[in-house]
């Protein structure tokens, strides 16, 4: 016997790498999804820029339109997969205003206009679902928002950008060239429309803001996230990291800090040295992983595909089923929890361990001078490895591991080292995370 379900009209905005796969899966598995959602999900239309553009999958031509507004205004659930700020923001506000629930994968929009969208949804009792906005197919938004709602998250260390992990991994395993690997990531549909968002860490910073907001019940604006990308990482830095027992990963680190009885948080994105024995070191290709430490639960690791059209479509469709269930059952929407309102400390006050690589002349007293500069800056040395190259005019490479130091102290000390007569060059300065 076929169950008669209430019909819900689903509007899809965007049919690119993710949207085309969402449409295909929705059409292919409609009956099954209806049983799970308790509602028939009717794909009412797909708004795009160019209805004649080639698509990754075959989709019925008659579903396509360039009139996003009319599509949105007649929908119960709106899936926004256009990306960027406008017209995505306006369409989502129109959807909420007309009583629809929204599903989006748009981290750029959520990280910059999240509070506006959530407030608009709260006012009318609608919901905004965004599982695909951080770490692609990996369920991490629900675990942070629901499963860990009774715990206190202490730290998140995440590989949350597939493109940069793919690039660093191929540089590490094949000695591949940065530009060539980036072109492959674009071809495979991992990279953002403008890949600067990936390689300069903007995409990871947006995801870090979203994850930290959920984990610490605090609104984290994007400009409070310290961000560095991977464009300065060279093959020789990767080789040196390997020799020292590390891999280089672009990390999003969200941390709860405690000092003098008060709490604050730090949210930062940068390439860091991760010990080869850490679970994050074995995250390869475009995969993502989010390592969460919580007071009661201990360490949890969420791992899987962080990018890719069909993989991300899985997370989007999970949200569509949730939105349909809520639409049928009624009740208030899923609100954001920002009550803790913890202060966000600037990067200068964050402490980590560092590895500093210097080229110095191989002469008596050089090591003592370098050690003196570090000591004057209040940076304590944990390890030193020296290698010497050349015979007539030998130069030495010093790899110095520090104890924990504040970013402020470290960067003033590195400036002093760069000025020092015995230092020929500062080759690299990388933080160490996950020890
Ligand atoms: P694409 O660039 O592949 O697709 C964008 C789609 O939006 C295209 O179909 C395009 O239409 C349509 N579009 C663009 N502008 C307009 C407009 N003004 N009006 C109507 N339609 C428009 O993006 P992705 O599928 O890669 O990404 C979609 C979202 O998912 C983004 O927010 C992205 O950050 C996020 N995301 C992507 C992942 C991935 O692996 N790709 C993973 C996780 C999240 P047309 O085809 O006609 O040009
Ligand atoms: N460009 C993003 C990435 C897509 O490489 O991770 C997933 O958000």
């Amino acid at each position: 016997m076929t169950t008669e379900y209430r019909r819900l009209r689903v509007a899809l905005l965007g049919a690119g790498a993710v949207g085309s796969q969402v449409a295909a899966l929705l059409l292919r598995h409609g009956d099954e999804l209806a049983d799970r959602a308790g509602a028939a999900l009717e794909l009412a239309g797909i708004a795009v820029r160019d209805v004649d553009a080639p698509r990754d999958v075959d989709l019925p031509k008659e579903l396509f339109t360039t009139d996003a507004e009319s599509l949105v205004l007649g929908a119960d659930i709106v899936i926004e997969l256009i990306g960027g700020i406008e017209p995505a923001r306006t369409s989502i506000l129109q959807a909420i205003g007309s009583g629809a629930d929204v599903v989006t994968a748009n981290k750029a929009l959520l990280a910059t206009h999240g509070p506006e969208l959530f407030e608009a949804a709260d006012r009318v009792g609608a919901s905004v679902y965004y599982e695909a906005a951080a770490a692609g197919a990996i369920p991490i938004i629900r675990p942070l928002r629901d499963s860990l709602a009774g715990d206190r998250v202490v730290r998140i260390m995440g590989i949350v950008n597939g493109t940069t992990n793919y690039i660093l991994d191929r540089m590490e395993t094949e000695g591949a060239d940065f530009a060539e690997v980036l072109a492959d990531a674009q071809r495979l549909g991992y990279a953002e429309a403008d890949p600067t968002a990936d390689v300069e860490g903007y995409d990871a910073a947006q995801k870090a803001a979203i994850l930290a907001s959920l984990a610490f019940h605090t609104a984290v604006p994007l400009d409070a996230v310290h961000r560095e990308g991977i464009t300065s990482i060279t093959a020789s830095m990767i080789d040196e990291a390997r020799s020292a027992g590390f891999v280089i990963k672009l990390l999003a680190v969200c941390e709860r800090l405690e000092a003098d009885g008060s709490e604050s948080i730090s949210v930062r994105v940068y390439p860091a040295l991760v010990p080869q024995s850490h679970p994050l070191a074995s995250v390869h290709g475009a995969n993502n992983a989010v390592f969460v430490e919580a007071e009661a639960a201990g360490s949890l690791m969420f791992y899987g595909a962080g990018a890719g059209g069909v993989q991300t479509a899985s997370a989007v469709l999970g949200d569509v089923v949730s939105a349909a269930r809520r639409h049928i059952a009624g009740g208030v929407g899923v609100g954001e929890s920002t009550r803790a309102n913890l202060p966000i400390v600037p990067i200068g006050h964050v402490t980590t361990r560092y590895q500093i690589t210097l080229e110095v002349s191989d002469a008596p007293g050089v090591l003592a001078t370098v050690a003196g500069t570090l000591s004057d800056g209040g940076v304590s040395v944990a390890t030193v490895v020296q290698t010497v190259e050349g015979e007539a005019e030998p130069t030495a490479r010093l790899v110095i591991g520090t104890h924990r130091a504040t970013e402020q102290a470290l960067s003033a000390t590195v400036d002093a080292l760069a000025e020092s007569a015995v230092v020929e060059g500062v080759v690299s300065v990388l933080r160490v995370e996950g020890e």
Side-chain angles (χ1 to χ4, degrees):
M1 197 181 77
T2 336
T3 315
E4 276 298 315
Y5 290 119
R6 181 176 149 196
R7 297 194 82 71
L8 295 182
R9 285 171 60 82
V10 179
L12 175 60
L13 312 182
V18 184
S20 58
Q21 300 291 344
V22 166
L25 292 175
L26 197 51
L27 293 170
R28 192 178 321 144
H29 301 308
D31 291 345
E32 226 178 299
L33 293 177
D35 287 337
R36 290 179 206 163
L41 300 171
E42 177 199 344
L43 182 56
I46 307 172
V48 290
R49 269 179 306 207
D50 175 3
V51 294
D52 296 318
R55 302 288 156 199
D56 293 348
V57 288
D58 269 342
L59 295 167
K61 259 270 165 301
E62 63 277 12
L63 286 177
F64 285 87
T65 175
T66 54
D67 184 359
E69 187 170 352
S70 305
L71 188 61
V72 163
L73 295 178
D76 299 299
I77 297 170
V78 172
I79 310 173
E80 183 279 306
L81 294 170
I82 292 175
I85 308 303
E86 287 296 353
R89 172 182 160 273
T90 299
S91 292
I92 289 179
L93 289 171
Q94 279 169 344
I96 291 169
S98 71
D101 285 320
V102 171
V103 174
T104 179
N106 193 335
K107 56 259 162 163
L109 180 62
L110 289 169
T112 48
H113 292 76
E116 180 192 15
L117 304 181
F118 294 122
E119 272 161 37
D122 273 354
R123 275 198 298 277
V124 297
S127 274
V128 179
Y129 296 85
Y130 53 99
E131 185 61 72
I138 304 173
I140 185 64
I141 300 297
R142 272 186 195 74
L144 286 175
R145 189 171 63 186
D146 300 330
S147 321
L148 289 167
D151 206 335
R152 277 164 54 85
V153 174
V154 180
R155 183 177 301 104
I156 296 176
M157 281 208 315
I159 294 172
V160 292
N161 182 267
T163 303
T164 46
N165 202 58
Y166 178 82
I167 294 172
L168 291 173
D169 191 41
R170 283 195 52 195
M171 286 172 76
E172 161 86 33
T173 54
E174 299 170 24
D177 169 68
F178 184 98
E180 174 201 334
V181 192
L182 172 60
D184 285 348
Q186 287 177 284
R187 193 175 42 75
L188 290 164
Y190 305 147
E192 295 302 304
D194 174 2
T196 312
D198 297 297
V199 296
E200 293 294 359
Y202 292 100
D203 176 82
Q206 290 158 1
K207 292 166 180 168
I210 292 171
L211 296 178
S213 300
L214 283 169
F216 303 125
H217 308 279
T218 293
V220 177
L222 189 54
D223 59 12
V225 181
H226 175 80
R227 175 202 53 80
E228 292 167 36
I230 64 160
T231 47
S232 61
I233 303 299
T234 60
S236 78
M237 286 161 84
I238 288 178
D239 286 346
E240 262 164 23
R242 189 185 307 112
S243 311
F246 296 105
V247 291
I248 299 179
K249 295 288 186 191
L250 183 72
L251 292 186
V253 183
C254 315
E255 220 170 10
R256 187 190 291 271
L257 307 168
E258 276 192 60
D260 307 326
S262 61
E263 287 194 332
S264 57
I265 59 172
S266 153
V267 190
R268 50 199 200 260
V269 167
Y270 43 56
L273 295 168
V274 175
Q276 283 160 352
S277 56
H278 193 280
L280 289 177
S282 40
V283 175
H284 298 293
N287 283 316
N288 283 189
V290 186
F291 194 79
V292 180
E293 293 165 54
E295 266 181 18
S299 297
L300 307 165
M301 170 104 153
F302 300 83
Y303 168 84
V310 73
Q311 295 87 344
T312 306
S314 160
V316 172
L317 284 169
D319 278 351
V320 171
V321 170
S322 297
R325 286 180 185 149
R326 197 199 80 81
H327 217 83
I328 295 294
V332 291
V334 190
E336 286 306 274
S337 158
T338 54
R339 296 251 170 98
N341 204 15
L342 295 171
I344 306 166
V345 297
I347 187 74
H349 297 279
V350 172
T351 65
T352 44
R353 281 218 322 108
Y354 293 84
Q355 187 165 292
I356 308 167
T357 304
L358 304 174
E359 290 277 346
V360 295
S361 46
D362 185 25
V366 168
L367 194 53
T369 307
V370 169
T373 309
L374 286 157
S375 158
D376 291 348
V379 176
S380 173
V381 175
T383 56
V384 182
V385 175
Q386 175 175 301
T387 46
V388 180
E389 274 179 18
E391 283 179 15
E393 284 181 39
T395 56
R397 186 163 273 223
L398 280 182
V399 181
I400 301 162
T402 75
H403 286 293
R404 289 180 82 86
T406 65
E407 179 89 18
Q408 224 163 25
L410 193 281
S411 78
T413 306
V414 169
D415 289 348
L417 286 169
E419 297 285 306
S420 163
V422 302
V423 174
E424 290 174 8
V426 177
V427 180
S428 65
V429 180
L430 286 165
R431 289 117 178 150
V432 182
E433 295 281 1
E435 284 185 314

